Amino acid sequence: MDQDRTLEQLAADYARHRAAAVEATQRVAEVSATVTSPQGLVTVTVGGQGELRSLTFNSQDYRRMAPAELSRIVVETVDRARESALQQMLGALPGTGIAGMSVRDMMAGRIDWDRVLPEQLDISGFNLPGRMA
C-alpha cells in the first residue's frame, strides 16, 4: 500500500534526523581547543563551553613580566582558544535550530534528545487516510 511506504519513509527520515542530532550533540561535547600565545609563553586549553581546562607556562619568562602584561597575554590566549572552540562547535551543528530549539541551546547542551526525539516514534494517534484510528 502506498500509505505504508510513506509511513516507512517518514520513519526512516525521522531516524536519520534523530541520529544526526544526537551525533552533533556528541561532537559538541567533545570539542576542545588548545592555543599557545604568539610569544610561546603560555598554552591554554578550553572545552566546548569555553571553560578553562588547562593553563601551562612554557618558560620562566613570566617571572620578569609586569602583572598587567602577563594578565593580558593569558586573557588574549584564552579568548583565542574560546573562539577556536566556538568555530569547532558551529561546524558540528546544523545552521538552524532543530524542532524549534536554537543553535545556542544545542551548543549549551540544554537539549535532552531522548525526550525531544525519542528513538521510537509513536504514530498511533495520527488519523491517516485508509487507517483505522
Side-chain angles (χ1 to χ4, degrees), residues 6-20 121:
T6 301
L7 285 176
E8 288 174 15
Q9 289 172 332
L10 286 172
D13 287 346
Y14 175 85
R16 191 171 43 258
H17 289 294
R18 181 186 188 283
L121 185 59

Side-chain angles (χ1 to χ4, degrees), residues 10-107:
L10 286 172
D13 287 346
Y14 175 85
R16 191 171 43 258
H17 289 294
R18 181 186 188 283
V22 170
E23 182 182 333
T25 301
Q26 290 169 341
R27 285 195 312 262
V28 165
E30 295 168 357
V31 166
S32 176
T34 300
V35 172
T36 300
S37 64
Q39 311 86 349
L41 177 71
V42 63
T43 299
V44 299
T45 300
V46 300
Q49 300 298 313
E51 72 279 11
L52 185 62
R53 290 189 178 165
S54 74
L55 170 65
T56 304
F57 292 97
N58 299 318
S59 72
Q60 299 291 317
D61 292 345
Y62 71 90
R63 293 176 185 257
R64 295 188 302 273
M65 298 176 77
E69 182 182 7
L70 176 58
S71 175
R72 180 186 57 77
I73 290 170
V74 169
V75 169
E76 287 175 359
T77 306
V78 169
D79 285 346
R80 287 179 44 229
R82 285 181 174 155
E83 180 61 29
S84 177
L86 175 62
Q87 293 307 315
Q88 288 179 49
M89 286 195 322
L90 290 175
L93 295 173
T96 59
I98 296 175
M101 292 166 283
S102 71
V103 171
R104 181 175 295 282
D105 285 341
M106 289 188 283
M107 289 173 56

